[in-house]
Amino acid sequence: MPKVCADLSEIEYGILKKLTIVEGDDGEKLKNLLRFYIHTLPELKSSEYALRRIENKKEIEENLQNVWDVYEYTDYPTENWGEDMIDKLAGDLIEINVLVKTGERQFLPSNKFRSLFKMLLHDVATENKDIDEYSAACIATIQLLMESGMGTLSKETIRDGTIFINEGWMFEYAIKLKEAREFMRTRRLFPGIEVPKTATA
């Protein structure tokens, strides 16, 4: 029978210890986790994320406030971050499959993260039409970081990870959502306006 040994980072080990979906200690827990993964899909459905948003509303709102507190001092928080901070943060996010490394000090959100983010951004914005698009993007990222880290990420990591991911990549989706909302508002205000063919192509 093959035996697998692996060195785990502090985050990975913390997640392993906190997992309640499988039983066992250390190696036995890893084996049970693999069996569980093989027989189930790792992604939650939209409705399950919505339920967790309600259950964790207070924590999500606290994390969102932490993010906006940073923007009280600067419009571009990442410009003040050193390379060591970025490397440590990116390393933590790579370990939980939020980011993937594409080159030397180059990263991208993983395909799974991007697809889930787009779903959650739409859901959050639809649930509360009064929320601004950037807050909706932050809530989506915060929730995904909370889910991916399974309760092991510090508030600082969630705050900085949200800023890093959104500033680097995901606010583009918020911008497009904002443009789409403004377009639909204009259509309602001026229903007789003919839409150019190029706008629907």
Side-chain angles (χ1 to χ4, degrees):
M1 181 183 300
K3 206 170 215 180
V4 178
C5 297
D7 292 324
L8 300 180
S9 69
E10 291 296 325
I11 289 177
E12 290 169 336
Y13 189 70
I15 290 173
L16 180 66
K17 295 299 277 186
K18 284 191 174 252
L19 283 175
T20 57
I21 54 173
V22 293
E23 297 180 355
D25 294 319
D26 298 338
E28 188 64 27
K29 198 165 194 174
L30 274 174
K31 186 159 74 170
N32 291 337
L33 179 61
L34 176 61
R35 289 177 179 164
F36 177 83
Y37 178 84
I38 291 169
H39 291 96
T40 60
L41 292 174
E43 295 179 11
L44 296 176
K45 295 176 183 175
S46 176
S47 58
E48 293 170 315
Y49 279 108
L51 180 60
R52 294 203 190 195
R53 266 194 305 284
I54 294 168
E55 292 171 348
N56 300 316
K57 186 174 188 288
K58 184 178 178 185
E59 187 178 359
I60 290 171
E61 286 177 349
E62 285 174 3
N63 282 312
L64 179 61
Q65 188 58 54
N66 290 341
V67 169
W68 290 138
D69 286 347
V70 173
Y71 283 98
E72 287 292 319
Y73 299 100
T74 175
D75 290 336
Y76 305 102
T78 55
E79 288 184 354
N80 302 319
W81 294 359
E83 289 186 8
D84 288 346
M85 179 179 172
I86 292 173
D87 289 343
K88 169 74 168 65
L89 183 59
D92 289 347
L93 298 179
I94 287 170
E95 286 184 18
I96 57 174
N97 197 32
V98 168
L99 293 182
V100 291
K101 193 168 185 175
T102 59
E104 187 61 34
R105 301 195 78 249
Q106 294 180 339
F107 322 98
L108 278 177
S110 67
N111 288 335
K112 179 180 174 182
F113 181 89
R114 283 199 311 274
S115 63
L116 290 173
F117 174 88
K118 287 187 277 188
M119 177 184 76
L120 291 190
L121 176 63
H122 173 270
D123 290 351
V124 171
T126 304
E127 286 166 13
N128 186 350
K129 296 200 185 308
D130 295 327
I131 197 170
D132 69 272
E133 296 78 11
Y134 299 100
S135 291
C138 287
I139 289 170
T141 303
I142 287 166
Q143 186 173 13
L144 288 173
L145 289 176
M146 288 170 62
E147 293 290 343
S148 300
M150 298 195 66
T152 63
L153 298 181
S154 68
K155 289 188 183 298
E156 291 75 20
T157 301
I158 292 173
R159 177 197 66 202
D160 295 343
T162 300
I163 292 169
F164 185 54
I165 291 165
N166 286 341
E167 285 286 342
W169 303 277
M170 309 316 280
F171 272 159
E172 287 300 316
Y173 292 101
I175 291 168
K176 294 298 181 190
L177 177 61
K178 184 177 178 68
E179 290 172 354
R181 281 178 156 187
E182 287 171 354
F183 175 75
M184 291 309 294
R185 255 193 304 271
T186 303
R187 289 283 292 149
R188 282 194 294 272
L189 289 173
F190 305 102
I193 292 178
E194 189 175 326
V195 179
K197 289 181 181 178
T198 55
T200 58

